[in-house]
Amino acid sequence: GIQQDTPIAHVERLVARGRRRLALVPPPPQLTYSRHMTGGFQRAIEAHDVLEVPVHGVTTDSGFEAIGVEVTRLMGARHRPDGFVCGSANAAIATVTAAEDAGFVIGRDFDLVVKESFDMMSKFRREIEVVNEDFRRAGAGLAKAVVRTIAGDDPATLQTLDLPV
């Protein structure tokens, strides 16, 4: 199954917390879900009339230190972000750590929403908003679709759509 506009759900959660300047730490551009995430993020910030604070030179695959350096730069800027959307748990941990090291407090100075599948982020910081991705359910749905396609069903009738949790 495909998760429907998870980035919109991410932005809506930040806007509900009063956040107006949002930054996205996206997946690498060569991954399909990067286009979905960045496109959904753009649609959501426009729909909610909030500002994007551009993240430069890092993705979720950039590594802890590189993400930390960029977040430190962002948090030192005049118009620093007050909300982050992260495409992975690793990026979220690096973001929170760098922002806290710069003297900012999650839940007070900034909020963060992350897509994850391991139920670990709320254990790291309770203030983090989590949109869960169920890999097992997605894998089971894909397996059923493959089996039914082999059995002769029209693949166009086998698509599913999961909503973010």
Side-chain angles (χ1 to χ4, degrees), residues 8-127:
I8 290 176
H10 286 53
V11 169
E12 287 173 348
R13 290 182 185 203
L14 291 170
V15 169
R17 290 181 171 216
R19 302 310 181 181
R20 307 291 301 160
R21 294 178 314 277
L22 309 182
L24 171 67
V25 181
Q30 70 271 20
L31 301 178
T32 301
Y33 86 100
S34 179
R35 288 193 315 271
H36 295 281
M37 182 166 254
T38 56
F41 181 80
Q42 290 299 317
R43 285 190 305 279
I45 62 170
E46 290 170 11
H48 292 285
D49 197 27
V50 295
L51 301 174
E52 176 181 10
V53 178
V55 172
H56 298 294
V58 296
T59 69
T60 56
D61 282 1
S62 295
F64 193 88
E65 291 78 18
I67 294 168
V69 167
E70 177 61 4
V71 170
T72 299
R73 182 192 72 78
L74 290 172
M75 296 309 278
R78 183 169 166 231
H79 297 291
R80 67 172 179 77
D82 60 5
F84 289 90
V85 173
C86 293
S88 74
N90 181 57
I93 292 169
T95 299
V96 170
T97 300
E100 289 178 341
D101 286 352
F104 297 96
V105 176
I106 189 168
R108 182 188 76 196
D109 302 314
F110 72 99
D111 282 300
L112 184 141
V113 181
V114 62
K115 176 187 74 70
E116 73 149 343
S117 55
F118 303 109
D119 191 31
M120 134 175 97
M121 295 311 302
S122 60
K123 293 173 179 70
F124 172 64
R125 293 289 185 283
R126 288 186 302 276
E127 301 84 0

